[in-house]
Amino acid sequence: MNNNLKEQVLRMSGVNPLKCMRCGKCSATCPSYDEMEYHPHQIVYMVEKGEIEKLMASPSIYKCLSCFACVERCPRDVEPAKLVEAIRLAVIRQQGQNHLKAKDIPDLIEADPDLPQQALVTAFRKYTK
Amino acid sequence: MVYHYYPGCTLKTKAKDLDRYGRKSMEALGITLTELENWQCCGGAFTMAKDEIATKLSSVRALADSRDGVLVTLCSACHNVIKQTNYAMANDAEFAMKANNYSKFDVPYNGETKVMHYLEVLRDVVGFDNLAKAVKNPLKGKKIAAYYGCLLLRPSKALQMDNPENPKILEDFIRAIGAEPVLYPYRNECCGGYMATEDQSVAAKKSGQVMDSAAEMGADMIITACPLCLYNLTKNAPGHQIPVYYFTELLAEALGVKD
Ligand code: SF4
Ligand code: SF4
Ligand code: SF4
Ligand code: SF4
């Protein structure tokens, strides 16, 4: 358990995981549930336990669609997506850890010229520092 | 009242129809949208981390430049990013202080500008009753499914657009242009968004669910305000035949200004 990292994630996200009552509603409504190794309600609990490094190494943090469903529908206003975002930023802010690289963009456009700018811009914002 | 308009990058490129029909229709309804000078791309997604400042500055500038009027957005994503940024400027004192320290506006900006999505202008300024009266070619007999997706409604705390779980602004719009709205369960669920760049199969699965849901309820067509929704629903949901349009295109058609 790394207290520094936990502190950092809590500060960046502004989330208090202790508010969570583990009802699982966030995971039930998450459109990326099937794609995730750790699901939103588990992520909240893992942050509480300080298991940040485990989450930083998990592909789950790149599966969140930023759809805000868990933010809207959590009965305790925990806002799990903010934790996912903070953990992903803790990874990609490190040197050389960008998930999407500028050199990957031409291939994406070539694969589908109809891909709207919005998709690329958003992916870049989410995956790259 | 000045209606400053923030078109966003995609409306200048892949989604020109959303923009063009939007401006024409508003003009026909007596409101001129004045494009902001020097607007910069909002980034497509609001970065939720409180210590992220730079990624939000383009929105802060657009907001500060619109203080003498209303800031109108049309793309769902721009609307989401700019409204969430405005909410943070008004409610997160530390973020507002940092953004202001960086920006050095003549007068500090603290979330005073009112941001309205184009649909909110139709509802709250024009009025759907007046819109119905201005319609020249009602879209009679058309069964239209409104697709809200996620970015138009959530998080409702910051966006304050409509009831996030039982919205009606698009359905009221559909009625105003003379058509019949079709309700379906997936109208405010995600299409897969930018996951199209990471894992296309996820976007295909999510978009397919939306299309199936609308088809099951008997929709002839789907309307959206989001270029990425339109892309995902048309390109990433193969085998689904319901056409998807920008709502502004149907609006222009109904008002008789579509060329
Ligand atoms: S919905 Fe909220 S309270 Fe329920 S498990 Fe998720 S974070 Fe916890
Ligand atoms: S914001 Fe992310 S974690 Fe939350 S429901 Fe949407 S995809 Fe799942
Ligand atoms: S949402 Fe998009 S389209 Fe709208 S400006 Fe922002 S990134 Fe560009
Ligand atoms: S529905 Fe899809 S593109 Fe549209 S707002 Fe949600 S993720 Fe974005």
Side-chain angles (χ1 to χ4, degrees), chain A residues 69-88:
Chain A
C70 59
V71 172
E72 188 70 49
R73 293 167 184 161
C74 166
R76 304 272 297 168
D77 204 22
V78 175
E79 308 187 312
K82 293 187 175 177
L83 290 176
V84 180
E85 182 121 316
I87 296 160
R88 192 178 55 241

Side-chain angles (χ1 to χ4, degrees), chain A residues 65-67 118, chain B residues 76-77 147-152 154 189-194 224 226-230 232:
Chain A
L65 298 157
S66 267
C67 75
Q118 185 189 351
Chain B
S76 300
Y147 183 51
Y148 290 89
C150 17
L151 299 181
L152 215 44
R154 294 191 289 264
E189 300 302 330
C190 187
C191 70
Y194 62 95
T224 176
C226 178
L228 187 49
C229 301
L230 184 110
N232 273 332

